[in-house]
Structures are given as C-alpha cells and as structure tokens.
Amino acid sequence: MRNVAQGPIAWRSELWGSPLRALATVLLLGLLAWAGFHAFEWGVVHAVFRPDAEACRAVQHGACWGVVAEKWRPMLFGRFPYEEQWRPAIAVVVLSAVTVLSAWPRSWRWWLAPLWGVALLLFVGLMHGGVAGLSVVPTSRWGGLPLTIGLAVVGLALAFPLALLLAMGRRSEWPVVRTLSASYIELVRGVPLISVLFMASFLLPLLWPAGWQPDVLVRVLMGLTLFVAAYLAEIIRGGLQAVPRGQTEVAMALGFGRWPVQRDIVLPQALRLVVPALTNSVVGTLKDTSLVTVVGLFELTGALGLALGGDPVWRPFYLEGYLFVAAVYWLLCFGLSRYSVWLERRLGTSSA
C-alpha cells in the first residue's frame, strides 16, 4: 500500500519537483504534442486508405495505407500460391493456438507433447501439401508470417532441450562433458547468426553426400536451433547457479537420486528465476528470423520486399509497408512481454 500511495507523489516530484524539472517536462510534452500532431495528420487526416495508387500519388503529405489493403496477402504469405493461401492461414492459426495453450500452466500435462506432434504434422501438411488432395508447394515458396512463426516456434522448441543439456553439462563434474559444453557455447556465441545461416545454407551441402542434401529450410532451421541453444544454455545455467546448493545437498541426504533432484527441485526453481531472460531471448529469436532473407527464404520482411519490389505501381510506398510489418512484429513481441509479466506474477517471482 505504501508503494501505491507514493506512486503519484513520486511522479509529481520527478516531473515538477524543481523549476528545471518543470521546464524539461514542459519542453518534452511540447515535443511529444508536436510530433503526435504531425504523425496523426500524416497517418490519419491526409492518409489514403483505399487501394488507389493514383490517389496515393496525388497526396503530398499523407500516408498511403492503400498499399496494405492491396498487398496484405503477399506481405503475409509471400510467394505461396494465391488460390491456396487459406492453407498457410490455417497453419498459422493451428501453430499459434497450440503455442498459446502451452503458455497456460494448467496445460502443462503429459498430453501436451502429443498435441505438439499433431500440430506440427498439420502445419507441415498444410504448408507442403501432397496429402489429402492438397497440391505440393515447395519450401522455396513458403514465406511471410507462417515462415516467421514456424521458424521461431519450432526453432525454440528444438533449442530448449539442447540448451538444458548444455547448461547442465557445463556444470557437470565430469571434465570432458564440462569442456565440450563450454567449448560449444563459447564457439557458437562468438559468431553472428548470419554467418551460421550462411554455413547452414551453402557450406553444409558440401559436406553431405551427393543426393542426400536436406532442404534449405531444414538446414536453416538446424542452424537457428543450434545458435539459439547456446544463448538459452547460458540463461538456464544462470538460473541453476542461483538455486542454493544446500537444497541439493539436503535432498541427496534424504535419499533422492541425482536426476530426481535436478528434475523435481533444482530445475523448476531455476527456470522460474530466469523467466524474464528467457522471454528476452524468445523475443530476440522471433526478430532474428528476419535474417533468413539473406539465404533466399522470404519471411515477413522478405515477403514485403517481394510484394513491393516487383510492382512499380506500389513500389514508392515502402514506408507504409514497413510500418505494417513493424506493427505485426510489435504485437507479437508485446504479447510475449505481457505474458512474461503475467507468468512472473503467477509463479511469484515478480519484483513489482
């Protein structure tokens, strides 16, 4: 109650507590009002919302949201066949629904793993086709939002178990396991993701026998998984180190085995402590999927370039297209942020 009561008082003190602070507050509010007025005038008052390129070109100081109304399907689904775009739409809904369900602690039961298996099979079946009378669509034509969410969700799902093993391996009492885990983590964290994607896309096929090269999407997913696992491993290791060693010793003294102690006592506390850091890594991974454009996979930002780059009529309105894509990314990242806050409060680890 004390913090709640002092909140408005603290705000008033920070904003108006002295003449200098009051002057800075007035100047900042004036700047925000000026910027907000011009943004509203550009984005709403003088904007064109209908898909009319001539009207957009006739407006000198207004946004052309008509480019979104005209190009939203290629922006969201890339080069996927136009008449078949209901398939990636359903695939995204299925994968997103299972992800949201998995975020609810009450659903953390044995049946969640089989459900994920079914969801991934549906996702791949809808996107690739070749089953139930669906036409085959090669991965080279996958793109847009389905590719962004698919890479992020599947990459994180595959990276987390590997990260858990690496984190525990780096704290292992066996020197060989500890050295190998630490070497892998430091090696992967020492290179940028774009170089990992280049190696997975162009170098890895040279090491495979002829005719056995996996699909480029699979190679990119492998590279993304291995890269993200190294960062997640260090986050998990930090949580493991934060759990008092005395708890492990007491549990061992009571007759618990080494693995039951880690599974039932140490890991739940460690993961609960690193929820904010894990969320930060998830958000970063979601945005890093945009780098796959450099190896020929056109996710959300790459699909925007395809939608507008080859169309001279709508090409001048890249700004509005990028703002639309930025809004999609912001909604996804903001949703993850709010979920993190909710989960912290539910688990009792929030400092707010």
Side-chain angles (χ1 to χ4, degrees), residues 195-206 216 219-220 294-296:
S195 64
V196 175
L197 296 178
F198 267 114
M199 287 188 291
S201 182
F202 302 114
L203 181 61
L204 188 61
L206 301 178
V216 62
R219 300 198 301 268
V220 166
V294 301
V295 295

Side-chain angles (χ1 to χ4, degrees), residues 19-331:
L20 184 59
R21 289 184 180 181
L23 177 62
T25 300
V26 171
L27 292 176
L28 181 59
L29 290 176
L31 179 62
L32 291 176
W34 176 84
F37 172 77
H38 285 281
F40 182 78
E41 190 178 35
W42 175 81
V44 178
V45 177
H46 299 303
V48 176
F49 293 91
R50 63 186 185 277
D52 187 344
E54 293 296 332
C56 287
R57 282 192 289 269
V59 175
Q60 297 294 325
H61 304 289
C64 176
W65 302 118
V67 67
V68 178
E70 176 70 20
K71 295 291 187 177
W72 67 271
R73 290 184 65 167
M75 286 182 189
L76 291 181
F77 302 117
R79 294 184 293 183
F80 208 91
Y82 188 86
E83 65 281 357
E84 300 283 338
Q85 287 179 358
W86 60 270
R87 290 163 50 182
I90 296 177
V92 167
V93 171
V94 169
L95 196 59
S96 301
V98 176
T99 303
V100 171
L101 179 63
S102 303
W104 191 30
R106 290 187 180 181
S107 67
W108 297 345
R109 300 292 187 268
W110 65 268
W111 46 263
L112 193 59
L115 181 62
W116 265 103
V118 172
L120 291 177
L121 287 176
L122 283 174
F123 182 85
V124 175
L126 287 168
M127 294 294 293
H128 185 266
V131 294
L134 298 177
S135 61
V136 176
V137 178
T139 57
S140 60
R141 301 197 66 179
W142 297 13
L145 187 61
L147 185 60
T148 295
I149 293 182
L151 284 173
V153 171
V154 179
L156 286 164
L158 295 176
F160 191 83
L162 177 59
L164 195 59
L165 294 176
L166 288 170
M168 298 179 68
R170 192 162 188 178
R171 301 181 74 245
S172 173
E173 297 177 356
W174 299 341
V176 175
V177 175
R178 187 171 61 249
T179 301
L180 290 176
S181 300
S183 300
Y184 173 83
I185 292 172
E186 297 303 330
L187 175 64
V188 173
R189 291 200 308 163
V191 296
L193 176 57
I194 194 169
S195 64
V196 175
L197 296 178
F198 267 114
M199 287 188 291
S201 182
F202 302 114
L203 181 61
L204 188 61
L206 301 178
L207 305 178
W208 285 74
W212 288 84
Q213 288 89 353
D215 186 85
V216 62
L217 179 60
V218 176
R219 300 198 301 268
V220 166
L221 182 60
M222 290 171 54
L224 181 67
T225 299
L226 296 174
F227 184 85
V228 173
Y231 284 85
L232 290 178
E234 285 299 274
I235 294 173
I236 297 173
R237 186 172 71 92
L240 293 172
Q241 292 182 168
V243 178
R245 188 175 182 84
Q247 295 190 19
T248 303
E249 295 173 350
V250 170
M252 297 282 289
L254 291 174
F256 286 89
R258 182 178 299 275
W259 292 113
V261 169
Q262 295 293 325
R263 184 187 66 239
D264 300 328
I265 298 176
V266 177
L267 280 176
Q269 296 184 73
L271 295 178
R272 186 182 297 116
L273 291 171
V274 296
V275 167
L278 287 175
T279 303
N280 184 63
S281 185
V282 171
V283 170
T285 302
L286 176 64
K287 294 186 292 185
D288 284 345
T289 56
S290 60
L291 294 176
V292 303
T293 305
V294 301
V295 295
L297 296 176
F298 298 97
E299 42 61 68
L300 197 55
T301 55
L304 171 65
L306 289 176
L308 300 185
D311 191 339
V313 175
W314 295 103
R315 190 183 302 161
F317 308 107
Y318 260 103
L319 176 59
E320 291 83 349
Y322 274 115
L323 289 175
F324 171 72
V325 170
V328 174
Y329 273 111
W330 183 85
L331 287 174

